[in-house]
Amino acid sequence: MDLPHPIAEPTSAPSPQAMRRSHRVLWVVGLVAALATTAIAFGAYRQPELLLNMIGLRYCG
């Protein structure tokens, strides 16, 4: 009387559509992060003291 173990059952792979959706979400998150980094860099270039105030450092120059 050996019953199959429920964990030993083969799992199905994620559907290609779900994989495409997750790749799309990762790309969107990456692009948003890159845009935010670029915006902060340009803001720091124009007003370095503002960025230093945001992160709590003092500008000694």
Side-chain angles (χ1 to χ4, degrees):
M1 281 211 171
D2 290 344
L3 295 174
H5 197 275
I7 296 176
E9 294 178 15
T11 58
S12 63
S15 68
Q17 191 174 26
M19 288 178 66
R20 269 189 246 132
R21 188 177 307 127
S22 66
H23 285 295
R24 219 177 272 150
V25 168
L26 287 174
W27 270 103
V28 168
V29 168
L31 286 174
V32 168
L35 288 173
T37 303
T38 304
I40 289 172
F42 276 106
Y45 182 73
R46 286 183 173 174
Q47 298 173 337
E49 44 301 321
L50 177 64
L51 183 62
L52 293 171
N53 286 338
M54 287 173 47
I55 60 175
L57 296 175
R58 291 190 177 256
Y59 181 64
C60 299

